[in-house]
């Protein structure tokens, strides 16, 4: 997808007395409060001199109900193919099964790998306990458990695959460091749970350490996600830019937005290599739809991020400074609370009018935004993606296999299962080395206190012999003959001589 390059090329070929070339963007008004806050946002952007050519598309509830399970039709993809920029109001996901998350589909289809969420306090004009808070969360947007690959394998056990790739880690981490450099930020903090998930979260942290070494002028540190989230709720002032994995970032950014003042104020940018989507972080708020009381600020500030992304910095600064001046002036919708709010709350339309009336003004107490110090920004995603290094192939040796069984004998005795497995595989040059249940070793030398489900991981090793998938198939055939129900296998590899799988206790 090309992002505005045609507009730039055309500029030279037109007479200077014509209207300036407008940048085409795709706009969806969404559901619930979406149309109201989009209307307010577009009015303000237009009044500020933003040069936008709007392609309006329909997404969301009506599209879902027309039978398109993704909530997004072909004409929307065609528009995004043309524009590469999506300003999107929140949508309502219909209740009931069969509907896919439109946001997850859009992010993954368009390769929007970085979700950038600035969380800024506007004290004392918006109530917060953290007046100095100014954190940007950069969340990995495509991988992790959000791959949405889930299976039920036994009566008792379901699973969700957590997929993490090296290039996926590298480009979002590079994006976070580039963002820090470009926006005059001092520190990038990584958050993972690598003490438990040593391969998946461990890879994210390892790549973070590698990339951090290339940015000696930016400080870097790491928190385990649980204590990191606690610190974000308690002392968010200690953070500057935070980069983290998809699920952690989803939760952490809502915590950060809430402690900054309100989720209703927070914008987000979903950045890809050639495409970007801008939206508020809140939902479609059906409880207040159509009442002219919704706060348009989250979507408006997403619009500011979009203008900066498009290089329309003057318009971005005009909108942002007018909004800051309005907030400082006590202009507020009913969800905004501040010590200086003596005036009654106003509605969505009046809020937009008040911001438009202040275009050209700058705030007096809150820091004004400028090109040199943009308070909220979103870099394009091409450079970080281009800088991702190819992954060197490793020497890969198959050394064994984990076979997962659905086994529901009355006593669920691991010793009995081990006997069956050994008898079934006796003629094969492989050895049963371990059985675990939900990751806890139950054979050999398990403990009778350990609770066992009907889902067993049975590890077979090659015992010094060469191993290949033919052996795995022979083993599965032998287990099948023995009446054992293998529900899946995971091959055990060594990469460059090192085990590339989690070790069982005692191995
Ligand atoms: P919500 O964010 O829509 O609302 C939560 C609460 O915050 C409500 O009380 C609401 O009135 C209030 N609120 C939200 N935005 C506000 C605003 N701009 N001004 C004033 N008050 C505001 O969350 P929800 O109720 O859990 O979800 C409603 C619908 O939105 C669901 O269908 C959900 O799937 C969808 N949703 C969409 C998106 C998106 O499109 N990006 C994101 C989240 C939720």
């Amino acid at each position: 997808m090309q992002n505005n390059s045609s507009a730039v090329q055309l500029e030279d070929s037109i007479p200077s007395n014509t209207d300036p070339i407008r940048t085409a963007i795709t706009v969806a008004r969404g559901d619930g409060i979406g149309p109201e806050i989009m209307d307010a946002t577009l009015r303000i952007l237009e009044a500020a001199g933003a040069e936008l050519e709007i392609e309006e598309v329909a997404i969301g509830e009506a599209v879902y109900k027309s039978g398109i399970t993704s909530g997004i039709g072909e004409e929307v993809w065609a528009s995004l193919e043309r524009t590469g920029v999506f300003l999107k109001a929140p949508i309502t996901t219909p209740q009931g099964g069969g509907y896919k998350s439109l946001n997850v589909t859009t992010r993954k289809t368009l390769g929007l790998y970085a979700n950038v969420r600035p969380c800024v306090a506007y004290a004392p004009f918006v109530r917060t306990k953290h007046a100095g808070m100014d954190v940007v969360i950069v969340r990995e947007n495509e991988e992790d458990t959000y791959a949405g690959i889930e299976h039920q394998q036994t009566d008792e056990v379901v699973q969700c695959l957590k997929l993490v790739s090296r290039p996926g880690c590298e480009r979002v981490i590079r994006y976070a460091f580039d963002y820090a450099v470009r926006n005059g930020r001092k520190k990038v903090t990584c958050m993972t749970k690598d003490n438990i998930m040593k391969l998946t979260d461990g890879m994210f942290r390892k790549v973070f350490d590698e990339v951090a070494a290339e940015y000696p002028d930016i400080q870097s540190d790491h928190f385990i996600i649980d204590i990191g989230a606690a610190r974000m709720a308690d002392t968010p002032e200690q953070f500057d830019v935070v980069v983290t994995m998809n699920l952690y970032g989803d939760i952490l950014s809502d915590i950060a937005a809430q402690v900054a003042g309100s989720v209703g104020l927070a914008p987000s940018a979903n950045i890809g290599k050639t495409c970007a989507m801008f939206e508020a972080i809140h939902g479609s708020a059906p409880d207040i739809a159509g009442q002219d009381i919704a706060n348009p600020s989250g979507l408006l500030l997403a619009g500011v991020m979009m203008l900066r992304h498009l290089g329309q910095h003057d318009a971005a600064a005009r909108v942002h400074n007018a909004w800051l001046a309005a907030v400082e002036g006590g202009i507020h919708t009913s969800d905004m609370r501040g010590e200086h709010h003596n005036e009654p709350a106003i509605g969505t339309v009046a809020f937009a009018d008040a911001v438009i009336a202040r275009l050209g003004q700058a705030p007096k107490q809150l820091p004004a935004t400028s090109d040199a110090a943009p308070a909220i920004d979103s870099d394009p995603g091409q450079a970080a993606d281009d800088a991702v290094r190819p992954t060197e192939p490793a020497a890969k040796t198959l050394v064994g296999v984990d076979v997962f069984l659905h086994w529901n004998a009355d006593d669920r005795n691991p010793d009995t299962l081990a006997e069956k497995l050994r008898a079934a595989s006796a003629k094969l040059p492989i050895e049963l080395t371990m059985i675990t249940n939900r990751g806890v070793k139950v054979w050999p030398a398990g403990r009778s206190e350990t609770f066992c489900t009907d889902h067993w991981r049975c590890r077979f090793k090659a015992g010094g012999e060469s191993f290949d998938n033919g052996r795995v198939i022979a083993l599965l055939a032998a287990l099948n003959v023995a009446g054992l129900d293998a529900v899946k296998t995971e091959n055990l590899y060594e990469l460059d001589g090192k085990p590339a799988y989690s070790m069982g206790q005692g191995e």
Side-chain angles (χ1 to χ4, degrees), residues 120-131 257-265 288 293 295 297 323 326-328 330-346 351 366:
V120 183
Y122 302 100
F125 308 104
V126 178
R127 189 164 56 200
T128 174
K129 294 188 182 113
H130 306 287
Q258 187 62 39
V259 301
S262 163
V263 284
L265 297 180
I288 58 167
I293 55 176
N295 185 355
S297 299
W323 181 82
V327 170
E328 235 181 48
I331 301 295
H332 65 288
T333 48
S334 57
D335 58 300
M336 294 162 81
R337 298 275 179 274
E339 293 159 25
H340 290 224
H341 288 162
N342 300 322
E343 301 295 317
I346 59 175
F351 187 92
L366 293 167

Side-chain angles (χ1 to χ4, degrees), residues 456-476:
W456 308 79
R457 176 180 61 162
C458 310
R459 177 161 291 179
F460 292 87
K461 290 277 191 69
E465 298 238 356
S466 69
F467 206 82
D468 60 19
N469 277 324
R471 288 271 160 81
V472 176
I473 292 164
L475 174 61
L476 289 177

Side-chain angles (χ1 to χ4, degrees), residues 33 88 90-93 103 279 282-288 294-295 335:
I33 59 172
K88 176 184 154 296
I91 58 112
T92 301
T93 313
N103 280 337
E279 60 182 342
H282 60 72
S284 59
D287 53 333
I288 58 167
N295 185 355
D335 58 300

Side-chain angles (χ1 to χ4, degrees), residues 188-348:
V188 180
T189 299
C190 178
M191 294 197 197
T192 69
K193 189 82 180 170
D194 69 329
N195 52 333
I196 302 294
M197 283 157 280
K198 296 182 168 63
L199 291 186
T200 47
D201 290 34
M203 179 191 277
F204 196 88
R205 182 171 182 183
K206 185 167 184 298
V207 174
F208 177 82
D209 289 342
E210 289 168 10
V211 174
E214 295 177 33
Y215 293 81
D217 296 335
I218 302 287
Q219 298 165 42
S220 62
D221 59 7
H222 175 268
F223 281 82
I224 298 293
I225 184 66
D226 38 10
I227 188 62
R231 294 271 173 83
M232 183 63 75
D234 182 58
T235 44
E237 304 83 358
Q238 76 181 98
F239 296 110
D240 193 349
V241 175
V242 177
V243 65
T244 187
M245 303 171 82
N246 203 340
L247 176 60
Y248 309 142
D250 194 358
I251 299 165
L252 192 71
S253 58
D254 270 23
I255 295 173
Q258 187 62 39
V259 301
S262 163
V263 284
L265 297 180
S268 84
N270 295 267
I271 303 290
K273 188 168 177 174
T274 56
C275 197
M277 176 171 82
F278 301 86
E279 60 182 342
I281 76 165
H282 60 72
S284 59
D287 53 333
I288 58 167
Q291 298 172 35
D292 189 36
I293 55 176
N295 185 355
S297 299
L299 187 60
L300 180 67
L301 295 178
V304 172
M305 293 177 87
M306 179 188 74
L307 291 178
R308 291 210 174 270
H309 183 84
L310 296 175
Q312 297 192 23
H313 295 288
D314 286 350
R318 273 166 67 77
V319 173
H320 199 181
N321 284 330
W323 181 82
L324 289 164
V327 170
E328 235 181 48
I331 301 295
H332 65 288
T333 48
S334 57
D335 58 300
M336 294 162 81
R337 298 275 179 274
E339 293 159 25
H340 290 224
H341 288 162
N342 300 322
E343 301 295 317
I346 59 175
T348 316

